[in-house]
Every structure is written in C-alpha cells, then in structure tokens.
Amino acid sequence: MQTIRGFRDILPEQIALWQKVEQEAAALFESFGYREIRIPIVEKTALFARSIGETTDIVEKEMYTFEDRTGDMLTLRPEATASICRAYIQHKMYAAEPVRKFYLTGPMFRRERPQKGRYRQFYQIDAEVFGVESPYIDSELIFLLHTLLRRLGLEGLSAHINSLGCPVCRPDFQKALLDFLGERKDNLCENCKRRLVKNPLRILDCKVETCRQALEGSPATVDHLCPDCRTHFETVKTSLEKLGVDFMIDDTLVRGLDYYTRTAWEVQTTTLGAQSAVAGGGRYDRLVEELGGPSTPAIGFAIGFDRLVEVMEQLDTQVCEKGPDLFIVSLGADAQAYAFEWSCRLNTMGIRTDSDFRGKSMKALMKRANKVNAAFVLIIGDNELAQKKLVLRNMATKEQTEIGLDNLVNDLAQLIKN
Ligand code: ATP
Ligand code: MG
C-alpha cells in the first residue's frame, strides 16, 4: 500500500522545522492577542461554494466533494476562512465580543496537479480577525506575517499588496475592465470567455499565457477606488512604511477567492520555481453577512506551511534536535525491570529518559544511545546490580561516575541536572 497521489507522510526526521514554525507562530500570534481555534476538516459543500465562489478554480475543479450516506454533499476543507466564519456565526461569537482574533494550523485539501510545493493535502497556518474595519488591523496582519517569516530566517521574499475596492467602487472597476477586455476577447482562454459574463475579476487571476498577455495594460483596481477605500489603503501603506515593512504595490493582484474586498496581499519567494506564493491574505468585509451573520468586517491570511518548510530547507535552516537526557542500557531480565521503573520515575521528575527493552548486546545498545544523541548513558547489568553500583557515562566528555543503588533516582536527577 502506498499513499495516494498528492498526499504524503511527514516523517519524524523532517518534523523539526514544522515544530519550530508552529512554536514561533503560536508564540507570536498569542502575544498579539490571537487565540487558537480548531474546526472540522469536513463541512457542507455549500459553505465553500457560497463563500469561495462558484466560478473560482477551487470550487469548479479542486474540491474533494462526496455524498454522505444520507445524501448530504460534503467537502474536505480547501481553506480555513469559510469554516472560521461559519464557527463565528454558529456560536454567535459576535454577541459576546464582536472583536475576535483567531489562528489555526491544519491540513487543507485541493485536487490540483501535484508537484514540488503543490500537494493535494497541504497545510496552512491561518490568522483571522473579525469585527475591526480599521486599516491598522490590515497592517497588523501584514506585520505579523512579515515578522514571523523574518524570525524563521526566510530570505528572498517579497510582499505584494493591492486594494480590490468594495461594493461601492467595484462596479466602476468592473466596467473599466470589461471595456478593456472587450477588444481582446478573442485572445482569452475558453474559461475566461465564460468568466467575462459570470465573473470578470477572475480573469485577472488566470495563469494561461495568452490571457496574461491580453491583460497587459489592463485597468488597475487602485485607480478606481472610492474615497473610503482609498483612505483605507493609504493608511495601510503609510503605517507599514513607518514600521519598515518591505512591500510593493501590485495592481494586478486579485487572489483566487471571490470573497476579498479592499486590502489583498501575497508573499512570494524566488526559491521555489513556479510555486512562488508562500502566503496570501485579504479583507473579506462582506463574507460573514453573506453566510447569514451580522455585517462584520473581517480579514485574514494563510501561510502555505509545506512551501514555507521547503524554503527553510533550501536555506539549510538548522534546528537543534535534543536527544534524551539519559539512555538506560540494560543487560538481562532483572536489569530491564529496573530500567523500566527508573525511566518512568525519572521522566516524571523532568529527566528525559529513554531505554531499550529488546534484550540486545551492550554494543548494540550503546550504538542506539549514540544514534538518539543521549547526553548520559546509565549501564545496568547483573554485576552492577550485585555490587549495587552503577556507572553513569557523560557522552560528551566520556567521563564516568559511579552511583550507588540506594537513592539512585535522586542522585541521577542531581547529576544530570547539573
Ligand atoms: P497558488 O497561486 O500557488 O495556487 P493560492 O492562491 O491558490 O496559491 P491560497 O488559497 O491563497 O493559495 O492559499 C494560501 C497559501 O497556501 C498559498 O500561498 C500557498 O503557499 C499555499 N498553497 C495553496 N495551494 C497549495 C497546494 N496545493 N499545496 C501546497 N501549498 C498550497
Ligand atoms: Mg491555487
């Protein structure tokens, strides 16, 4: 049996970077007042279709959708924002305290063509804020993302920022875009010809080369913003500049989901070839209301965890993996019984202790102690037990200390802690 295409195992040998990222992210988010939220992996299909948009790539061709035994249509979540909105509304979180800041880490599912940096089960780290319309929250999120990536030592990244406007100015932009594309209709791919009628903004996100060419010189959303959207975007820009966050205005950036309004951004890397987006986010001020909640401004971003780890691997990021404080080498049945008891006791006293009950030779067990990178090794055999004296070996200095059997656990704890 093998994993299915686009799905993969992340093995203990690879996990150090994942854990480092998770710890850094959680610490940073928590310090800014974000709280972790955990939500189901499966939701009703309608939730994603209605929020992400019927004519987006995700909904049209990438979702893992299936019929439950009762006939309900269910989908493995392709992203987290829609589900977090659902939770915010379902639990009436807005009633107790409308301003909520969440973060989440977990798997997402999209049936795309698998390649390096693109999987069918991939992981995202999300941060979302509900209930704040102020542009400072846009800047806070962009700053958080920037700070996290810097703390992780990432280089060669660029942040692209745009404003997509709101329902007030969007129609004006859409008209300008349609006027522009009218003459270039024949050069668009079949998909975009359909989008022209159904969802013209999506054309801006099309990856087909002929469409990219047809779009050259197309109108920019930022030139069609209403005064409120313009002021909002100005504050985002100036507040980020003040903090020294590097970004560039990218007036072609629209992102692949329909729910975005106003600020949208993406962080790109040059180190992963075509899969260049490491993170993306944006405002979605209409979504909570569209999903049946009260009118609530909201904004968030998602980091592509797999890609982030791949960039860190390329940069040869080292995470020091600590072995156990103590490895107990036990030779013989009696020794194993002691090894078991002491390793349990020491672990509860804060000494990270591992042992091996296979009944292997001294040589094999010492090899294992080396492999797991133990700081100390305790050797117990029949002789040692008979003489009531055990040897503790410091693996770094090779120094050996004799310890009496009486009060062994406490003596060990003292020696190792020093
Ligand atoms: P892309 O343009 O690369 O398809 P996207 O715009 O579809 O990305 P989002 O929906 O914004 O991606 O998700 C946020 C992040 O999740 C992306 O920036 C990317 O790093 C990551 N991501 C998206 N799809 C995949 C995937 N299939 N495999 C691995 N990571 C992914
Ligand atoms: Mg995509």
Side-chain angles (χ1 to χ4, degrees), residues 57-58 62 110 112 118 207 307:
D57 281 355
I58 295 179
E62 295 172 0
R110 294 183 197 172
E112 305 189 72
R118 198 172 285 285
K207 307 285 190 296
R307 291 186 197 172

Side-chain angles (χ1 to χ4, degrees), residues 342-366:
W342 293 335
S343 75
C344 293
R345 288 197 198 287
L346 286 164
N347 269 304
T348 58
M349 295 168 75
I351 304 294
R352 299 157 61 250
T353 308
D354 190 7
S355 48
D356 186 321
F357 305 112
R358 292 174 304 164
K360 292 278 182 190
S361 70
M362 171 88 170
K363 195 174 156 206
L365 293 177
M366 284 307 288

Side-chain angles (χ1 to χ4, degrees), residues 20 47 59 70 72 75 96 111 117 119 158 175 184 205 208 214 237 247 253 295 299 365 372 413:
K20 181 184 163 73
L47 172 65
V59 173
T70 53
D72 293 338
T75 296
R111 201 175 188 293
Y119 307 97
S158 51
K175 187 179 172 302
R184 296 166 175 79
D205 202 40
V208 176
K237 288 190 288 184
F247 64 88
L253 181 86
S295 170
I299 176 168
L365 293 177
V372 299

Side-chain angles (χ1 to χ4, degrees), residues 89 247 267 298 313 355 384:
I89 300 165
F247 64 88
V267 175
E313 280 166 354
S355 48
E384 283 82 358

Side-chain angles (χ1 to χ4, degrees), residues 284-301:
Y284 47 93
D285 289 341
R286 312 270 317 133
L287 186 55
V288 175
E289 194 175 357
E290 273 165 22
L291 291 175
S295 170
T296 307
I299 176 168
F301 68 74

Side-chain angles (χ1 to χ4, degrees), residues 151-163:
R151 282 191 186 169
L152 294 170
L154 270 79
E155 295 160 11
L157 300 177
S158 51
H160 298 238
I161 300 186
N162 196 16
S163 175

